[in-house]
Amino acid sequence: MKKKMRFATKAIHAGLDPDPATGAVMTPIYQTTTYAQARPGDHKGFEYSRSGNPTRSALEKNLAALENAHFGLAFASGLAAIDACIRLLNPGDEVISTNNLYGGTYRQFTQIHDRYGVKFHFTGMDRVDQILPLISNNTKMLWVETPTNPTMNIIDIKAFAQVAKENDLILVVDNTFSSPYLQNPLDLGAGIVMHSVTKYIGGHSDVVMGFLALNDEALHKELKFIQNSAGAVCGPMDAFLALRGIKTLHLRMQRHCENGSKVAHWLRKHDRVDNVYWPGFEDHPNHAVAKAQMKGFGGMISFSLKGDQLEEAFELVSRLQVFTLAESLGGVESLAGHPATMTHASIPKEERAKTGITDSLIRLSVGIEDADDLIEDLEQAFSALP
Ligand code: P1T
């Protein structure tokens, strides 16, 4: 990199050079498992594609640059990247995690890593003092997601980074809902940034992938060892698709934010709607923090219905025609989901209730279509409700 580049330039160029063999401008898909050696150990930097692959390498450099990180590691899925982070810990170690988070992360923590002796505490993280009573000598990691999935709580990364520093804890921030375009947690003091690349970074709902970005060299060495030894790497074709998606990340995010704002404001005025969760509202409890740490408020919105009837929520999401009822988020197309029975079904009902995941809660991933078509779609679905 010749000079310090801005986001859009980095998205298109960082870590990407024309292919040394042919001059190909777009990173080739190195669909190979292995690499010829002239003599044992005498090779061109690649030995076996689990340990390293040129297409994956290009993606790792590119995405690390977008998080202002020295190092990046790509995994087979977001959950595989999360798994690698927890494998840094030992039996007896404790993690303090936000209690509002992706259901699959909760399931991995409580049904896999818990069995191997890592203990998880779940708490609200609206204020930093909520975690202080949970810190002990065994605490090793803070797990933050912001905005949280699905109720868009905002967690103050700088404040939690300060506590992590004072107590020698690794602060991991799941930055999936923001994408590197809206928020860069390492700049705010986080130790590791985690992404489900499956979402905004890939952007086209055609790749499942995870990513970790960090600056600490020793930690990177450990994580690279885990990546190779546990083996949950992404394939070269997926790395290529992610690179292709990244080239328009900034443009897509701008439109997601614009459309998100329009849909959130429209929902708020609807008389069947109870709460609307979106960090762009001035009366969102942590709006000021969102404003300080994010470049925009994103395209993820959740809302609940007056009366909180599951049947009514089912009826509404089933009548949508432009929004597709589906798991996942962050693609160009708009999706609607029902967290209590879909993405967050693996969290017990009592736990869900504590964080606002009620029976009528509906989550929207607002895409980059024409906002008026999205609003008209919601309008027709609402008007058909009994
Ligand atoms: O699906 P995967 O790439 O393994 O990523 C898991 C993950 C991690 N973190 C957050 C914040 C996520 O939202 C996800 C995946 N989420 C969904 C599939 C969803 O619909 O919420």
Side-chain angles (χ1 to χ4, degrees):
M1 215 186 297
K2 291 179 192 71
K3 65 189 266 289
K4 205 169 174 330
M5 296 187 287
R6 295 167 183 83
F7 190 91
T9 314
K10 283 196 287 192
I12 293 164
H13 296 288
L16 306 175
D17 295 313
D19 181 49
T22 62
V25 170
M26 289 302 133
T27 311
I29 303 164
Y30 283 91
Q31 196 73 45
T32 182
T33 57
T34 193
Y35 307 82
Q37 307 194 11
R39 292 167 61 81
D42 179 4
H43 53 72
K44 298 186 161 101
F46 296 95
E47 295 165 84
Y48 183 60
S49 278
R50 172 165 33 71
S51 319
N53 170 283
T55 318
R56 190 176 95 215
S57 257
L59 169 70
E60 289 177 336
K61 284 186 196 143
N62 178 258
L63 206 36
L66 296 189
E67 282 292 7
N68 301 323
H70 293 317
F71 308 107
L73 295 162
F75 292 84
S77 68
L79 285 180
I82 293 171
D83 180 70
C85 289
I86 306 302
R87 284 174 195 267
L88 291 166
L89 307 177
N90 292 308
D93 289 349
E94 298 185 11
V95 179
I96 304 174
S97 166
T98 161
N99 62 1
N100 196 239
L101 76 171
Y102 171 53
T105 310
Y106 179 88
R107 182 179 56 199
Q108 185 185 108
F109 286 174
T110 57
Q111 294 186 47
I112 295 184
H113 296 297
D114 180 80
R115 282 169 41 214
Y116 294 92
V118 178
K119 187 169 176 195
F120 295 86
H121 300 272
F122 296 94
T123 175
M125 289 189 170
D126 304 309
R127 300 177 322 276
V128 79
D129 59 33
Q130 289 165 290
I131 66 162
L132 300 180
L134 296 170
I135 298 178
S136 74
N137 289 337
N138 296 329
T139 313
K140 295 285 152 48
M141 188 176 275
L142 298 181
W143 194 275
V144 160
E145 205 179 277
T146 180
T148 62
N149 185 355
T151 53
M152 317 302 153
N153 300 351
I154 295 293
I155 300 173
D156 186 339
I157 298 171
K158 242 186 201 169
F160 281 75
Q162 186 59 34
V163 175
K165 195 171 161 201
E166 285 163 6
N167 294 277
D168 201 18
L169 314 175
I170 303 171
L171 171 63
V172 186
V173 177
D174 182 337
N175 204 25
T176 299
F177 270 36
S178 295
S179 87
Y181 177 73
L182 294 183
Q183 178 171 277
N184 293 124
L186 297 180
D187 294 350
L188 302 168
I192 302 175
V193 177
M194 179 264 143
H195 279 285
S196 169
V197 175
T198 317
K199 310 299 178 325
Y200 287 109
I201 294 174
H204 297 73
S205 303
D206 51 11
V207 177
V208 172
M209 191 189 292
F211 195 75
L212 299 177
L214 69 163
N215 283 319
D216 186 287
E217 197 170 352
L219 210 52
H220 170 248
K221 212 171 149 193
E222 275 186 73
L223 284 165
K224 196 167 171 54
F225 174 81
I226 293 168
Q227 182 197 39
N228 186 41
S229 305
V233 294
C234 66
M237 177 74 192
D238 285 352
F240 173 85
L241 286 169
L243 276 170
R244 182 183 180 137
I246 289 167
K247 292 182 201 305
T248 54
L249 178 60
H250 49 295
L251 300 175
R252 289 185 283 108
M253 290 315 295
Q254 287 162 15
R255 182 64 170 252
H256 283 296
C257 289
E258 270 173 45
N259 283 0
S261 172
K262 287 177 187 164
V263 171
H265 283 96
W266 182 86
L267 280 169
R268 209 173 200 192
K269 285 196 230 118
H270 202 283
D271 58 10
R272 303 289 291 257
V273 172
D274 192 6
N275 294 309
V276 183
Y277 302 95
W278 182 67
F281 291 131
E282 280 180 19
D283 57 359
H284 181 289
N286 266 341
H287 175 70
V289 177
K291 222 171 151 182
Q293 71 188 18
M294 299 172 77
K295 215 188 286 178
F297 303 111
M300 293 303 298
I301 304 166
S302 290
F303 64 97
S304 57
L305 301 177
K306 285 186 183 146
D308 197 35
Q309 291 304 307
L310 180 111
E311 244 338 288
E312 225 164 64
F314 273 25
E315 202 54 38
L316 186 73
V317 292
S318 309
R319 286 174 189 276
L320 291 166
Q321 289 165 7
V322 181
F323 282 86
T324 303
L325 174 62
E327 305 256 352
S328 204
L329 60 111
V332 290
E333 73 293 343
S334 291
L335 300 181
H338 183 254
T341 58
M342 293 168 69
T343 47
H344 293 70
S346 54
I347 300 178
K349 192 173 163 78
E350 320 81 72
E351 289 298 316
R352 289 202 303 261
K354 283 185 204 162
T355 62
I357 308 175
T358 56
D359 283 351
S360 72
L361 190 77
I362 292 167
R363 191 189 72 181
L364 300 180
S365 171
V366 179
I368 63 171
E369 302 96 332
D370 291 292
D372 288 344
D373 287 328
L374 299 177
I375 288 170
E376 283 169 20
D377 189 33
L378 288 163
E379 207 155 37
Q380 66 77 23
F382 269 111
S383 64
L385 282 184

